[in-house]
Amino acid sequence: MSLENLNDSDELRYLEYLKSGRREGFDFIYSTYSRLLLPKLQRMVKNNEVADELLQDIFLKVWINRNDIDLAKSFKGWIFTIAQNTVYGYYRKLALDIKMQKYLIETFAEFYNQTEDYIFNKERYALLNSAIDKLPAQRKEIFNLCRLEGKSYQEAAEILAISPSTVSNQLVSATKYVKRYVFFHSQEFIMLCILAYLKK
């Protein structure tokens, strides 16, 4: 079947085969869509071996999630969403590499240094809360008191019965961790990672 005619009755029939677990359905879909996806993956990651691995991951997800295929909707849109998420996952893993983090902080130093406002944006509350939850108990309390409730070092120190210098030191460590966590887990950062990688 030609790539220009991907929504005909033949594809629907093979998608039904795929949903029911028949190998010929998977083989047809793989043959058809791998030719569409592979060139895009190669352009996105600039490495043929990685692109091949990602392609296999995509079709493994297709097979595992075949029961989720909606025959009334575009299969092309569904598999391209899987492909996009797989590429983002690859770059997210790459971004969490320590050497890559150092490189990206240097490359995007201005953006990284401005993340004080960035992390408190309401669109990132889920990431912010996730980062805060991972802090040690005392550090979490200090961060909440000083950063979220706006209390002074002295006020936080009195509430927690510790010294203001301890509050200061713990807050520096907490802020550094939260800032890095939000920066390196945000969708925008993954896009920056992709851009940096493609420029190398």
Side-chain angles (χ1 to χ4, degrees), residues 23-39:
R23 180 59 185 265
E24 61 263 43
F26 178 82
D27 289 345
F28 175 86
I29 295 303
Y30 183 91
S31 174
T32 301
Y33 282 92
S34 62
R35 288 177 286 167
L36 287 172
L37 289 170
L38 187 57

Side-chain angles (χ1 to χ4, degrees), residues 13-30:
R13 177 160 49 89
Y14 282 107
L15 285 173
E16 289 172 345
Y17 291 167
L18 174 60
K19 278 180 68 75
S20 65
R22 291 173 60 176
R23 180 59 185 265
E24 61 263 43
F26 178 82
D27 289 345
F28 175 86
I29 295 303
Y30 183 91

Side-chain angles (χ1 to χ4, degrees), residues 53-68:
E53 289 178 10
L54 294 179
L55 185 69
Q56 302 312 311
D57 287 346
I58 291 164
F59 280 97
L60 177 60
K61 291 172 184 174
V62 167
W63 177 256
I64 291 172
N65 298 291
R66 62 188 182 276
N67 289 328
D68 295 336

Side-chain angles (χ1 to χ4, degrees), residues 35-197:
R35 288 177 286 167
L36 287 172
L37 289 170
L38 187 57
K40 293 180 183 297
L41 294 172
Q42 289 170 336
R43 286 196 298 272
M44 292 184 77
V45 301
K46 294 178 66 177
N47 183 305
N48 289 345
E49 289 184 9
V50 171
D52 286 338
E53 289 178 10
L54 294 179
L55 185 69
Q56 302 312 311
D57 287 346
I58 291 164
F59 280 97
L60 177 60
K61 291 172 184 174
V62 167
W63 177 256
I64 291 172
N65 298 291
R66 62 188 182 276
N67 289 328
D68 295 336
I69 296 171
D70 187 340
L71 299 176
K73 295 182 180 179
S74 166
F75 177 77
K76 183 178 181 181
W78 186 75
I79 194 173
F80 272 53
T81 297
I82 291 176
Q84 183 181 56
N85 291 337
T86 301
V87 172
Y88 280 160
Y90 165 73
Y91 277 111
R92 186 174 289 109
K93 183 178 179 181
L94 186 67
L96 295 176
D97 176 80
I98 297 300
K99 289 181 181 177
M100 178 59 80
Q101 286 189 13
K102 185 172 183 235
Y103 166 73
L104 289 165
I105 287 176
E106 291 170 357
T107 303
F108 300 105
E110 183 177 352
F111 180 86
Y112 180 76
N113 290 333
Q114 292 174 351
T115 53
E116 190 80 3
D117 292 331
Y118 177 85
I119 64 175
F120 289 103
N121 186 293
K122 64 180 181 180
E123 295 175 0
R124 290 166 199 93
Y125 276 164
L127 275 177
L128 176 61
N129 289 332
S130 180
I132 294 171
D133 285 343
K134 289 177 170 53
L135 293 170
Q138 186 184 67
R139 202 168 287 180
K140 181 193 294 187
E141 286 189 77
I142 290 171
F143 188 90
N144 284 330
L145 288 170
C146 295
R147 284 287 188 244
L148 302 184
E149 297 179 21
K151 297 191 183 301
S152 68
Y153 290 177
Q154 184 63 43
E155 289 172 324
E158 290 174 2
I159 291 170
L160 299 174
I162 56 178
S163 69
S165 62
T166 298
V167 171
S168 176
N169 292 336
Q170 291 293 312
L171 185 59
V172 168
S173 296
T175 302
K176 182 178 179 181
Y177 175 82
V178 169
K179 183 178 179 181
R180 180 177 287 261
Y181 183 94
V182 173
F183 185 67
F184 283 99
H185 287 79
S186 69
Q187 191 76 358
E188 292 95 334
F189 173 72
I190 299 302
M191 294 307 299
L192 289 176
C193 178
I194 293 172
L195 289 173
Y197 189 78

